[in-house]
Amino acid sequence: MLRIPANSQLSPLEISPTRESLTENTIDLPAEIIEDSSVLKRWLNNIPNILYDIYTDPSFRTRVGIGYVEFPSTRHDGGINIEVDDIFIGKTGLTISGDYQSSFGRRDTVGANLQYYVLPLGNYFNIAPVVGYRSIHTRNYSENGINIGGKLVFSLSRNGASDVSLSHSFISPGKDNEIGITTFHFGYAIIKNIRLATKIEKQNSQVKKDSMISIIFEWMP
């Protein structure tokens, strides 16, 4: 009798159920549904750290855009707009953005910024201080220098399907030739990784008040 347990002990493979049997015992769903659901398969494979995902999985995405730009304050000159928004640095809230607008000689603007989103990236609302460099050249004036400001982002849908942002910054703040820039940006996905966006920008300087309107096709890698 004492030797029976030793002879009847199960091997580790017999004690540990297979993934298929675990799935059958824990979730009463057809195998087809589980196979078609990336979320269910992820949870069955390894329970995710939800709090970590909230802090590191952004509700908005990196975007690369090209489109048409018009400057109503400069005789409605038209041109091209190229921009890259929110290239994430690792799993942090630090991102890089850059843009270039040109009406082919009459007006040129180029800049690059660093943003640091202070709230968890998974939030539908976020705020970021902005610091970078910007150069503006027009027929009336030219200015370049440090660009400092802030940015608000409101994600209407996760994974970049739609969002609204508002930013305000100053080129060469505190100087006589300081320029204030207010930018409104709205984007909406028309297919999975392509968005149609509108960008409106107002510039205030002691020389002149300028404006810019752009229609952009954005690709989300």
Side-chain angles (χ1 to χ4, degrees), residues 38-57:
S38 59
V39 175
L40 283 175
K41 288 192 291 186
R42 181 186 177 195
W43 277 72
L44 288 171
N45 182 56
N46 185 24
I47 297 176
N49 187 332
I50 302 299
L51 185 60
Y52 177 78
D53 287 347
I54 290 174
Y55 274 86
T56 61
D57 185 19

Side-chain angles (χ1 to χ4, degrees), residues 128-213:
V130 175
V131 60
Y133 172 86
R134 196 161 191 83
S135 174
I136 298 175
H137 173 75
T138 73
R139 288 184 170 183
N140 298 308
Y141 65 92
S142 297
E143 182 58 37
N144 61 80
I146 189 171
N147 186 40
I148 298 177
K151 182 179 181 181
L152 301 174
V153 177
F154 182 58
S155 300
L156 304 177
S157 176
R158 285 193 60 84
N159 297 323
S162 181
D163 56 49
V164 177
S165 68
L166 179 66
S167 65
H168 187 75
S169 63
F170 297 92
I171 302 175
S172 303
K175 297 183 178 180
D176 294 338
N177 51 354
E178 174 185 287
I179 299 176
I181 303 173
T182 301
T183 305
F184 172 82
H185 183 281
F186 171 72
Y188 188 84
I190 52 179
I191 58 177
K192 184 176 181 181
N193 291 319
I194 301 294
R195 304 197 327 172
L196 183 63
T198 300
K199 186 176 182 179
I200 302 173
E201 188 171 283
K202 293 286 187 179
Q203 298 179 4
N204 285 324
S205 71
Q206 292 185 0
V207 178
K208 187 179 180 182
K209 294 184 178 180
D210 288 326
S211 57
M212 181 197 79
I213 300 175

Side-chain angles (χ1 to χ4, degrees), residues 77-99:
D77 286 345
I80 189 172
N81 181 18
I82 302 172
E83 57 184 47
V84 179
D85 290 309
D86 291 321
I87 299 176
F88 288 89
I89 308 300
K91 291 288 187 178
T92 71
L94 184 63
T95 69
I96 301 174
S97 298
D99 64 296

Side-chain angles (χ1 to χ4, degrees), residues 9-97:
Q9 285 179 350
L10 300 177
S11 67
L13 290 176
E14 293 173 315
I15 294 174
S16 302
T18 62
R19 181 174 298 178
E20 290 76 13
S21 64
L22 181 61
T23 301
E24 293 174 356
N25 292 334
T26 56
I27 299 182
D28 187 18
L29 289 174
E32 295 80 6
I33 295 179
I34 297 175
E35 185 62 29
D36 293 337
S37 174
S38 59
V39 175
L40 283 175
K41 288 192 291 186
R42 181 186 177 195
W43 277 72
L44 288 171
N45 182 56
N46 185 24
I47 297 176
N49 187 332
I50 302 299
L51 185 60
Y52 177 78
D53 287 347
I54 290 174
Y55 274 86
T56 61
D57 185 19
S59 58
F60 52 95
R61 293 169 59 183
T62 299
R63 303 168 307 280
V64 180
I66 185 170
Y68 172 79
V69 62
E70 185 171 296
F71 303 97
S73 58
T74 313
R75 299 180 181 180
H76 290 272
D77 286 345
I80 189 172
N81 181 18
I82 302 172
E83 57 184 47
V84 179
D85 290 309
D86 291 321
I87 299 176
F88 288 89
I89 308 300
K91 291 288 187 178
T92 71
L94 184 63
T95 69
I96 301 174
S97 298

